[in-house]
Amino acid sequence: MNNVPDVKLGIVAVSRDCFPIELSQRRRSAVVQSCTAKGIDIVEINTTVENEIDVLKALDEIKAADVNALVVYLGNFGPEGPETMLAQRFNGPVMFAAAAEETENDLFDGRGDAYCGMLNASYNIGLRNLNPYIPEYPVGTADEVADMIADFVDIARVVIGVSNLKIFGFGPRPQDFLACNAPIKPLYDLGAEIMENSELDLFESFNKHADDPRIPDVVKDMQEELGGGNNYPGILPKLAQYELTLRDWMDNHMGASKYAAFANKCWPAFQTQFGFVPCYVNSRLTGQGIPVACETDIYGALSEYIITCATQMPPTLLDINNTVPKDMYEHNKSKFEGYKPTDLFMGFHCGNTNKGCMVNASMRYQLIMHRTLEPNKEPDITRGTLEGTIRPGEITLFRLQSTADCQLRTYIAQGEVIDVDPKSFGSIGVFAVREMGRFYRHVLIAKRYPHHAGVAFKHTGKVLFAAMKMLGVDDIGLNQPSTVLYEDENPFK
């Protein structure tokens, strides 16, 4: 997947000087061996941290190895001052984990007390206002710690990606469709950048790409991707020109950032001026790791990018759109087993979902715009959607959003797409989320979320929940029945 960080892990063992340093070193090496066996690349930092001078030595090693995500490993009790100083001075996401005792036959010289040491570490983490990843139960054997590290890789990718992201926006939202507007200050709080532009900037750049010599190659690639679903081949040169426009804009305006996403106005004047709808291009770029959110939805673009980092798969952005008719529910009861009608809804958008996330996808025209812009005419300027049924399987609904007063909040809900024909148009599917009725009323409506939801095509709630915590987002809406979660408890197992 392009446009996402390459996480390079490092592990540093820490040791309290009244415990055998060899114990922490041996246990660190065992974790590295377990990681290697599980296919997790990790750099073993040779310096074991007992004091502040060791912190400086370890940081030099970390820098030389280009490590950008760090595991601080308590092989024994650990020195709470130096180990948290290490986390504070490391410029990237940090995980803390601790060693479990290994055998009843070695509880004198071989006892490390890291279970106790994690308590002091957590206290000092608070003193330094740090926000590392601490697994739900952060003490384990070498194999268990390696499994924790595997989760951390995806979490770290989100944190690194967001802090190096630039979102390009084109155009304001229409007056009567303000739902996705939100203040941009929280983007800077996360470390992301935003570059807002006029639709005229985009139109000028598009016109400069007329007769671009690369257009035929992009058209050929589109033809191969669409195959038998290439219903409007005549529109492909314009779509290829637009795709090159966005790719070049990204390359020429990245600045100090490393990764990018787009939030582009796509109606109503877009069709009359550009001569097509941009949905298919949006779907292609999203499949390349460059999310393009519809309707200038800046936080939708951010949410899609976070999903991309968490899963390394194409996401999509869909409207939480319409109810499932009762007769459709009755006619497919066996497929809806275990779900109430209020657990169901249809997720829809015009045609922005990547082809790999749908079944029987083909290029069509935007029906809603066609009614307004080309009534009773053969589709022309409304061509360019990619439509089909969302593929059945696991999904996670996710959105990170700013409130009007610049507070970040998020929601996460795991569910599935049911293998039922939605019998409608667009990129569309029948979604099932347990307790969706409660979630709809007491999270989406009560907390005033807009209609766009980011969709991950796997269950990734565990990673997203932990990543949001690391990014300092505490207001997290869930689809589970209302229960009190202990602080930092991750409900996704």
Side-chain angles (χ1 to χ4, degrees), residues 164-483:
N164 290 280
L165 178 68
K166 176 177 279 188
I167 300 175
F168 298 109
F170 285 101
R173 294 185 61 78
Q175 181 180 4
D176 295 330
F177 205 68
L178 295 173
C180 295
N181 266 2
I184 63 172
K185 181 187 180 302
L187 296 174
Y188 297 118
D189 295 338
L190 293 170
E193 295 291 327
I194 175 73
M195 179 181 179
E196 295 187 284
N197 308 277
S198 164
E199 294 162 280
L200 284 174
D201 296 319
L202 183 60
F203 195 46
E204 178 191 39
S205 183
F206 173 75
N207 288 330
K208 286 180 178 179
H209 281 76
D211 302 318
D212 189 303
R214 298 169 293 172
I215 288 175
D217 288 338
V218 178
V219 169
K220 182 180 178 182
D221 190 57
M222 290 177 169
Q223 290 170 334
E224 291 174 354
E225 181 181 48
L226 289 167
N230 187 7
N231 295 325
Y232 295 106
I235 202 69
L236 295 188
K238 283 187 177 181
L239 293 174
Q241 181 180 338
Y242 182 66
E243 181 173 315
L244 290 167
T245 300
L246 293 182
R247 290 301 302 253
D248 285 353
W249 189 278
M250 171 180 163
D251 292 342
N252 295 332
H253 296 85
M254 189 70 82
S257 300
K258 296 181 180 179
Y259 315 109
F262 287 89
N264 298 345
K265 190 173 180 180
C266 51
W267 63 273
F270 190 100
Q271 288 67 45
T272 60
Q273 302 307 305
F274 285 79
F276 57 89
V277 293
C279 305
Y280 177 50
V281 172
N282 296 355
S283 79
R284 280 173 53 83
L285 291 178
T286 297
Q288 298 166 30
I290 309 167
V292 184
C294 315
E295 300 165 341
T296 327
D297 183 359
I298 291 170
Y299 283 89
L302 175 62
S303 301
E304 283 191 278
Y305 183 73
I306 288 170
I307 291 171
T308 303
C309 290
T311 65
Q312 298 194 88
M313 298 166 59
T316 193
L317 193 70
L318 298 178
D319 292 352
I320 299 175
N321 199 65
N322 59 279
T323 59
V324 173
K326 289 186 177 181
D327 57 351
M328 182 178 286
Y329 178 80
E330 293 296 331
H331 294 157
N332 295 277
K333 264 196 169 179
S334 61
K335 294 183 178 180
F336 292 134
E337 185 176 357
Y339 292 110
K340 308 182 295 289
T342 53
D343 291 337
L344 309 174
F345 70 97
M346 288 194 189
F348 158 87
H349 227 273
C350 309
N352 61 329
T353 301
N354 183 258
K355 187 174 186 290
C357 304
M358 293 190 289
V359 294
N360 302 320
S362 61
M363 180 173 288
R364 301 180 191 173
Y365 64 94
Q366 217 289 351
L367 177 62
I368 298 172
M369 294 178 190
H370 184 259
R371 293 171 185 157
T372 303
L373 299 175
E374 301 177 299
N376 304 314
K377 294 181 181 179
E378 187 71 18
D380 180 18
I381 62 173
T382 55
R383 294 176 296 169
T385 58
L386 186 70
E387 303 191 29
T389 301
I390 306 293
R391 72 169 186 236
E394 294 180 349
I395 57 92
T396 303
L397 303 178
F398 168 76
R399 186 175 180 93
L400 179 59
Q401 180 72 24
S402 170
T403 63
D405 58 352
C406 295
Q407 300 300 308
L408 283 171
R409 58 176 45 147
T410 187
Y411 65 71
I412 306 168
Q414 292 185 162
E416 62 177 313
V417 177
I418 306 296
D419 188 12
V420 169
D421 183 358
K423 298 184 176 182
S424 193
F425 63 95
S427 305
I428 190 167
V430 178
F431 286 64
V433 174
R434 299 196 188 282
E435 300 298 327
M436 182 65 193
R438 186 199 71 85
F439 180 70
Y440 178 75
R441 175 61 185 87
H442 296 288
V443 176
L444 301 182
I445 292 177
K447 296 195 172 185
R448 297 178 174 85
Y449 283 100
H451 59 302
H452 283 171
V455 180
F457 289 95
K458 65 182 291 188
H459 284 168
T460 190
K462 182 179 182 181
V463 169
L464 291 171
F465 188 94
M468 292 303 98
K469 286 288 188 178
M470 285 196 73
L471 291 171
V473 184
D474 292 319
D475 186 345
I476 303 178
L478 306 172
N479 63 300
Q480 286 92 335
S482 184
T483 57

Side-chain angles (χ1 to χ4, degrees), residues 33-59:
Q33 291 173 11
S34 292
C35 286
T36 301
K38 295 175 184 289
I40 304 166
D41 291 329
I42 191 165
V43 177
E44 185 173 7
I45 302 301
N46 292 319
T47 300
T48 302
V49 171
E50 289 186 306
N51 53 55
E52 292 184 16
I53 300 301
D54 292 333
V55 169
L56 301 179
K57 292 178 181 177
L59 287 170

Side-chain angles (χ1 to χ4, degrees), residues 68-90:
N68 60 5
L70 184 65
V71 178
V72 177
Y73 177 64
L74 280 66
N76 61 37
F77 191 98
E80 54 262 33
E83 68 197 11
T84 52
M85 177 185 288
L86 175 65
Q88 186 176 42
R89 295 196 176 196
F90 174 71

